[in-house]
Amino acid sequence: MTATTIHGIPAASRGSHRRTWATWGAILLIPYIAVFLVLVAYPVGYGLYLGANPASYRRLFADPIFLTAAVNTILFLLIAVNVKMLIALGLSGFFAVPRWWIRLLLVLFILPWAVPSIPTILSFRVMLNPETGMINQQLFQLFGIFEGPPWLTSPWLAFFGAVVVHIWKSLPFWTLILLTGRLAIARDLYEAAAVDGASRWQRFRFVTWPSVAALYVTSTILSTIWTLGDFNSVYLLTGGGPNDSTQVLATLGIRYLRNNNLDLGVASIIVAMPLILPLVFVMVKRLSKGGEA
């Protein structure tokens, strides 16, 4: 065997095989690259091009509705995400109890997340109608309240109604995520804590929380990113009203587009990037480290 032969295969032949496989690998990547360029790079690049005009941002910042939408977005994130994740953490402990009837309740609990958003949120809109809605009619029949709360015509009631709808819709998903984290904890840890006389709160503090803290933080970051782009909860329930008082950044862009202000619509999306990019960076960094707290 000569020095240029390895395992009976000449070195020149092995190099030719490598080049052939590299060529086929490049050919097979072409469809994926084309899809990326057409569906990702082009829309993003075109959007950045449309939003590159400084005059668009001056008009956007001068619009009082933009300030309302920006404040509403921050409030929506702070309230919806934190309340949702805290409730999900508590419910995950309830559904972790091994009882057959709790499993049945879990199936029913998942339904709001599983059903389509449009009919469910529109049903909330019908029920909250101040004049003909089922809720005000029940208040009249049960308690004699002739004029119920203006659920969709009061800015604050409409805004918090959208928050409640968002929490109701997405809560089952995050409860399942945290429930999975809880079920991965070894039962021996709880049994040892019970033998040591630990209370329920102490078992949560020293056993449950250290085990699910990293998952909770990661889920909260991901939930914030998704909530920032939640369009359905506000648009389908309030339409941004009354008088654009419940607009958020996710719905403001559509308002501009419907008014044929394409540059303002793109600009309203781009100004949300300072909120999204740091969250995405932290998320990717945590995932690269295995979700460490």
Side-chain angles (χ1 to χ4, degrees), residues 85-276:
M85 297 308 299
L86 286 175
I87 296 177
L89 181 63
L91 288 177
S92 65
F94 170 75
F95 288 119
V97 178
R99 298 287 189 275
W100 69 268
W101 58 273
I102 291 182
R103 294 290 182 265
L104 179 60
L105 286 178
L106 180 60
V107 174
L108 298 176
F109 179 71
I110 296 174
L111 289 180
W113 172 67
V115 296
S117 297
I118 294 178
T120 53
I121 297 178
L122 288 180
S123 66
F124 270 97
R125 183 168 183 167
V126 172
M127 290 188 294
L128 292 175
N129 187 289
E131 298 179 356
T132 61
M134 181 187 69
I135 294 180
N136 281 358
Q137 290 182 359
Q138 292 297 317
L139 289 176
F140 174 73
Q141 295 176 5
L142 296 176
F143 305 104
I145 300 177
F146 181 75
E147 187 175 351
W151 301 108
L152 300 180
T153 56
S154 169
W156 284 108
L157 286 178
F159 177 78
F160 284 108
V163 171
V164 170
V165 167
H166 169 82
I167 294 175
W168 173 83
K169 180 64 179 173
S170 57
L171 180 62
F173 175 80
W174 297 111
T175 301
L176 287 177
I177 296 297
L178 297 178
L179 175 61
T180 303
R182 280 182 181 264
L183 295 178
I185 303 174
R187 305 305 303 176
D188 296 343
L189 297 176
Y190 290 106
E191 294 173 358
V195 171
D196 293 337
S199 63
R200 180 175 297 181
W201 164 250
Q202 289 173 326
R203 291 197 296 271
F204 172 80
R205 179 182 177 185
F206 297 108
V207 178
T208 303
W209 179 249
S211 301
V212 301
L215 177 62
Y216 183 87
V217 174
T218 302
S219 297
T220 300
I221 296 174
L222 185 58
S223 176
T224 303
I225 297 173
W226 288 355
T227 303
L228 184 61
D230 182 16
F231 171 83
N232 292 334
S233 298
V234 175
Y235 190 80
L236 295 178
L237 185 68
T238 70
N243 298 323
D244 292 313
S245 60
T246 60
Q247 294 281 1
V248 293
L249 292 178
T251 61
L252 183 62
I254 299 299
R255 178 186 180 277
Y256 287 131
L257 293 177
R258 293 181 63 182
N259 292 332
N260 295 323
N261 292 319
L262 181 59
D263 57 334
L264 292 182
V266 174
S268 65
I269 296 173
I270 293 178
V271 294
M273 292 300 177
L275 291 175
I276 297 177

